[in-house]
Amino acid sequence: METYRKKLNPIILGIESSCDETAAAVIRGRKLLSDEIISSASVQAQFGGVVPEIASRVHTDAVDEVVSRALKNAGVRKEELDVVAVTYGAGLLGALLVGLSFAKGLAMGLNIPLIGVNHIRGHLAACYLEDDTLKPPFITLLASGGHTAIIYVKTETEFEVLGATRDDAAGEAFDKVARVLSLPYPGGPHVEKLAREGEDSIPFPRMLKGLGGYDFSYSGLKTSVINYVHSKEQKGEAWSRADVACSFQKAALDILAEKAAEAAHEKGVQTIAAGGGVIANGYLRDKLVTVCNAAKLKLVLPERRHCTDNAAMIAAEGLVQYRAGNFAPLSLNAQASISLR
Ligand code: KG4
Ligand code: ZN
């Protein structure tokens, strides 16, 4: 790409296929032009989780269609694209390879640069589409199926992880509690819905007592929910599924909002942003609003569909990497895991 000249507001196609969503989106600068998704979640739900082989097959069937739809709805011909940005990790290898191979073919055929996007950085970049004036420094609360962390975003490409989960991620805890409550996969939205019918009547442990700084732990809370349900069932005592959902949700999420505000205060920043599937949770969103209002902090929350996996966030992180000049060779490989720190 030696002859390549950077544009101020390039047209970027983002492609995402790391788990069970095949997604494509087109942006021009920070403006979202289209946003398409084909999900195999309902197929996966029959198996209680994501079956990698099924995910790969669905991606293979869907990727061409989802990209065509994204281009058509953006009103962009593929020849007008400046860059292709694609998730190269972390995720299921077979699933990642489908999107990555497709993106490489497109970049090569069109003779445009390829950008490899770290999926987690994508979740963090979703907030840039929500508010096109947003600029670091700020604090980001990341809460997804694989990660839970409080991150100090110094510049668009420099981060400091202030704290992270020491065991399960928040989304993972929601998925496990959902299983105990016989709710389908992915559990988060179902637990949230059930929690609306319940009360915060069960004193599950507030996990962070004793953990210093900004670290989290969800395994104790999860075990305590499992023990509560098993003990009630063994004793044949009545219990409320909705109260379990509500009490768990509060114990799991209050602390995230509180710690994010503390971090903003410590770092002297005025803004909190957020990203990842758990940020779609309405209770957490309301709690973040309350905490930020009380602390006079600006809050930037991606709309719900940009919290769970999507390609708009991959295109948004593609723009960050484009501006930083981080292009990928066509030999770029998929990576199953990428460290957060
Ligand atoms: O970010 P994401 O879509 O995938 C990655 O892990 O990268 O996050 C998925 C996680 C799942 O664990 C899912 O149960 C959780 O996000 N989730 C939620 C909600 N929607 C999705 N958790 C709580 N409340 C929700 N409304
Ligand atoms: Zn994700």
Side-chain angles (χ1 to χ4, degrees):
M1 292 303 141
E2 46 311 320
T3 56
Y4 195 73
R5 286 195 49 208
K6 276 203 254 170
K7 293 184 178 170
L8 189 60
N9 290 311
I11 301 181
I12 302 180
L13 169 69
I15 299 177
E16 154 68 31
S17 71
S18 66
C19 191
D20 54 356
E21 333 274 8
T22 322
V26 179
I27 60 173
R28 181 187 291 114
R30 279 200 194 178
K31 188 171 166 19
L32 183 62
L33 302 182
S34 68
D35 192 9
E36 292 296 318
I37 194 157
I38 293 178
S39 175
S40 67
S42 57
V43 182
Q44 309 284 3
Q46 297 166 26
F47 301 93
V50 178
V51 180
E53 191 51 42
I54 295 177
S56 306
R57 223 176 304 154
V58 175
H59 288 311
T60 308
D61 290 344
V63 67
D64 193 18
E65 184 188 332
V66 98
V67 168
S68 302
R69 267 178 12 200
L71 289 169
K72 185 164 177 266
N73 292 343
V76 165
R77 286 178 297 111
K78 61 180 186 305
E79 293 74 20
E80 292 176 279
L81 291 173
D82 293 305
V83 191
V84 182
V86 61
T87 309
Y88 74 96
L92 303 167
L93 275 182
L96 287 163
L97 281 170
V98 177
L100 186 56
S101 310
F102 193 91
K104 284 182 186 176
L106 208 54
M108 195 162 79
L110 296 169
N111 194 29
I112 56 174
L114 177 74
I115 288 177
V117 172
N118 171 344
H119 181 86
I120 294 303
R121 293 273 179 114
H123 276 303
L124 301 180
C127 55
Y128 290 125
L129 293 179
E130 190 59 36
D131 177 347
D132 65 5
T133 66
L134 178 66
K135 264 200 197 132
F138 54 85
I139 293 292
T140 288
L141 170 61
L142 168 67
S144 70
H147 295 279
T148 305
I150 294 201
I151 298 170
Y152 175 37
V153 180
K154 295 179 191 170
T155 68
E156 287 189 349
T157 53
E158 285 175 297
F159 301 82
E160 184 188 338
V161 179
L162 300 178
T165 180
R166 294 186 182 180
D167 37 58
D168 294 351
E172 214 175 337
F174 269 85
D175 294 337
K176 287 178 179 162
V177 165
R179 258 175 194 263
V180 178
L181 297 175
S182 311
L183 293 167
Y185 173 86
H190 299 283
V191 172
E192 179 185 353
K193 190 161 171 248
L194 183 61
R196 275 188 232 124
E197 294 158 25
E199 279 174 29
D200 175 29
S201 62
I202 308 161
F204 291 130
R206 292 295 187 264
M207 60 190 153
L208 288 163
K209 296 274 179 324
L211 278 185
Y214 298 100
D215 276 1
F216 302 97
S217 163
Y218 279 101
S219 74
L221 174 60
K222 174 196 71 188
T223 308
S224 152
V225 172
I226 293 171
N227 288 346
Y228 175 89
V229 171
H230 286 173
S231 138
K232 289 285 177 195
E233 284 187 341
Q234 269 165 9
K235 290 182 197 156
E237 289 174 11
W239 61 282
S240 156
R241 290 167 71 248
D243 281 9
V244 168
C246 181
S247 307
F248 158 75
Q249 177 170 266
K250 192 166 162 48
L253 300 181
D254 279 357
I255 198 77
L256 294 180
E258 285 156 13
K259 288 268 170 182
E262 244 176 81
H265 181 69
E266 186 191 315
K267 291 292 177 188
V269 301
Q270 309 305 318
T271 306
I272 290 184
V278 179
I279 306 298
N281 183 284
Y283 175 82
L284 177 58
R285 295 171 81 87
D286 290 349
K287 179 81 189 176
L288 281 164
V289 170
T290 307
V291 163
C292 288
N293 281 345
K296 298 200 166 37
L297 293 165
K298 176 177 163 175
L299 175 65
V300 179
L301 288 180
E303 53 182 290
R304 282 188 167 83
R305 70 196 167 111
H306 292 154
C307 292
T308 47
D309 290 349
N310 67 90
M313 69 182 198
I314 302 304
E317 176 60 10
L319 178 62
V320 169
Q321 297 304 328
Y322 175 93
R323 288 180 172 161
N326 291 331
F327 300 110
L330 287 174
S331 57
L332 176 69
N333 214 342
Q335 239 173 279
S337 64
I338 303 175
S339 158
L340 189 59
R341 291 186 196 253

